[in-house]
Amino acid sequence: FFFLMIRRPPRSTQSRSSAASDVYKRQEYMGFSSQPNPFGSLRKNLQVGGKSYDYFSLPDLKDPRLERLPYSIRVLLESAIRNCDEFSIKGRDVEKILNWEKTATQSVEIPFLPARVILQDFTGVPAVVDLAAMRDAVVRLGGDPTKINPLCPVDLVIDHSVQADSAKRPDSLDRNEEIEFKRNYERFQFLKWGSKAFKNFLIVPPGSGIVHQVNLEFLGRVVFKQDNLLYPDSLVGTDSHTTMINGLGIVGWGVGGIEAEAVMLGQVISMVLPEVVGFRLTGKLRQHVTSTDLVLTITQILRKRGVVGKFVEFFGAGCNNLSLADRATISNMAPEYGATMGFFAVDDNTLDYLRLTGRTDEHIETVKQYLQSQNLFRKYDGSQKDPVFTGDILELDLSTVEPCLSGPKRPQDRVLLSHMKNDFSNCLTNATGFKGFGVAKEKQSTAAQVTIDGETNEVKHGAVVIAAITSCTNTSNPDAMMAAGLLAKKAVELGLKVKSYVKTTLSPGSNVVTRYFNETGVQKYLEKLGFYTAGYGCMTCIGNSGEIDEKLNDVINKQDLVAAAVLSGNRNFEARIHPSVKANYLASPALVVAYALAGRVDIDFDKEPIGKGNNGQDVFLKDIWPSRDEVARITTGSIKPEQFKEIYGTIDTGRSRWNDLKVNSDQIYTWNPESTYIKEPPFFQNLSLDPPGFPTIKGAYCLCYLGDSVTTDHISPAGNIAKNSPAGRYLQERGVNKDDFNSYGSRRGNFEIMERGTFANTRIINKLVDKVGPQTVHIPSGKVMDIYDAADAYQK
């Protein structure tokens, strides 16, 4: 793999300009060709606004199978045709895709060459470490290190490092950023070096927003322009929620680091041609229902259908009644409903969103005319035939969606809002499992007093100790965010307050959110309830929730309370949000505020007041809940293209702390042998021109025997590093205090930590041992030990 990369001829390149600034004047690429493209006759010309472009015309195939293909498959077909070189992509691969109706169920493999790669810093740092190590290897072999560069545009958004160490304070944003830079100084310095050393590599600095929201609002092109050639935007990313971009009509999904690095270095992805499940949407959401309610409903439906390894393509008249942000919310959670993608084809709503977010009129017109010419532009007025899909078409009438949450341990476990009180009570007593905590009957009424900031409250099972408006899933949706702001406004005006034990945080995925919050005046009401902006990043959704009050934490652990978190995120697996919080519920931003006010999840909002008003009157949720029309009236006038142009026009400059980072301009990275963050991996250190074959593995023993619903959170956790874990011991042996451990995700630039962090989730259930936790039985000694320690013993 490595030598193929450095020996291949360079790709043709040309710089491009972005809609907002010339920050994107970076090199682009096309596929490597060993011989002329056999589909060259399909190359046609398109005139847009006085400019001339070429494109590979799908309709000119004159193949009746084309109009029967799902729109997502048509994008794969165009890529195969455009990049066909009879080497990495062959003519027979094009035929496989055209014959999708038959081949989709036969597990045939096809190559796919995405247009670009997107990274976040947790998963992006290891990729840059590998590139730096490759350069070292080239030097040792007498080559030119500058030949190691990404051959396609690569964007890395630093959004996973900031933590909610400070909350409920006016200066929380600055305090958290200060701590973030102190913790991650070495990582940030390394990434800034990489942005200067490598071509085609853009860093979006800390404090800019969440990768998927930045991708949606700014980085996504929908249509690429390169050497006057037009083609659909497509990508892979090193984050599972890369699928959010599917809402913009862009084909893309999350992959592992190896696949992403392969694409960065010019290789195609080999993938099984997927089945495509059609999901028809009809009707319109009711006034009190949010896009979060919709996506949690869809997640449950698709989990029951079973869509792992498949594309899901949404269509139908109901799409006209969903904003682009609503669609992006649905696409974002494709990993939770198990699909590779949750795709919405480009239509007029897409163009409206491009206009709203500040893309140029010229670009929008090019997108429209190109996609219409390619039969890639969707209409829901009955003028187009629907494509063929795999199996029975699913259908959902949007008017039937009810307010809901998901939890307490999995995103697919939807709970109607009206059933939450009973559901949580049942979960308390159910046997330990996805819907059970196994609390003994005599301990169900356990309660304790806790005093925080001079206020004493009783906490018991179901107490909401974390309420977080977080995650690109919802913070990219102005309607969802404004609903939370309006609910806060009404609550404050009626005199409602949040109890002191509830840790409230607001972490928008874009600075644009703060802009329209301030312009509409709702920011101050959120702050009165403790929802001060804590940072612009993933934060609580990725597990960077910070610590809860120490006295509260002690009470929870001493009394073994099932405390709760309510967050507007996309994942709620055990031990992800906070190690002391067992029940975690996904909800809309407005419901996050509501549960913060209630202070508990075992409440029936229909029958019980959310709190007492200024005059001692009971206030119910219905008294402060804003309607969709009410929200739309505010958002329509307050969100403007100028806000996006302003924010993203200077996105590459970063904040002062980033700009003050000093890095050298060397093409070779200087490794620090004492570093516990960035460490040269061993993969390339003994590389030779004649690589040895693969050794045979014999007599291997089982490390883990795992059940269902094993996720990336179990395999390679990103959150807290336990003090007595193998990774924790490794850090302490090198003089790192527990307070400075940071997280597994932030230390992925050190392969030693990644090795020790594999299967290190504290809630993992290994059937080889009789207790919960990251341990196994070593054979033949029979000793129970940490999984890494057993693997290390086997290796020795």
Side-chain angles (χ1 to χ4, degrees), residues 53 61 70 156 164 167 219 241 278 388 397 402 407 409 427 477 517 550 576 580 586 594 625 681 719 734 749 756 764:
Y53 300 102
L61 282 167
L156 190 153
L219 298 173
H241 296 100
V388 174
D397 180 349
E402 296 280 352
K409 302 181 183 182
C427 286
N477 193 317
F517 266 5
E550 187 175 352
R576 178 183 175 94
S580 296
L586 306 181
W625 191 268
R734 285 153 183 80
R756 288 161 173 79
I764 198 169

Side-chain angles (χ1 to χ4, degrees), residues 199 277 345 502 534 571:
K199 297 176 182 178
V277 175
V502 184
R571 288 194 170 173

Side-chain angles (χ1 to χ4, degrees), residues 370-439:
Y370 168 73
L371 294 179
Q372 286 179 337
S373 299
Q374 289 283 58
N375 288 344
L376 290 172
F377 194 86
R378 200 71 157 99
K379 294 181 179 179
Y380 301 109
D381 58 3
S383 63
Q384 294 176 333
K385 288 184 178 179
D386 290 330
V388 174
F389 294 107
T390 303
D392 294 336
I393 290 175
L394 294 168
E395 187 163 338
L396 176 65
D397 180 349
L398 300 179
S399 68
T400 64
V401 176
E402 296 280 352
C404 57
L405 301 86
S406 280
K409 302 181 183 182
R410 297 189 304 181
Q412 64 263 39
D413 294 330
R414 184 173 71 106
V415 186
L416 293 179
L417 179 62
S418 57
H419 295 175
M420 262 294 289
K421 181 172 184 175
N422 286 338
D423 189 83
F424 179 77
S425 296
N426 291 335
C427 286
L428 272 183
T429 58
N430 290 344
T432 301
F434 296 127
K435 292 289 289 183
F437 296 105
V439 177

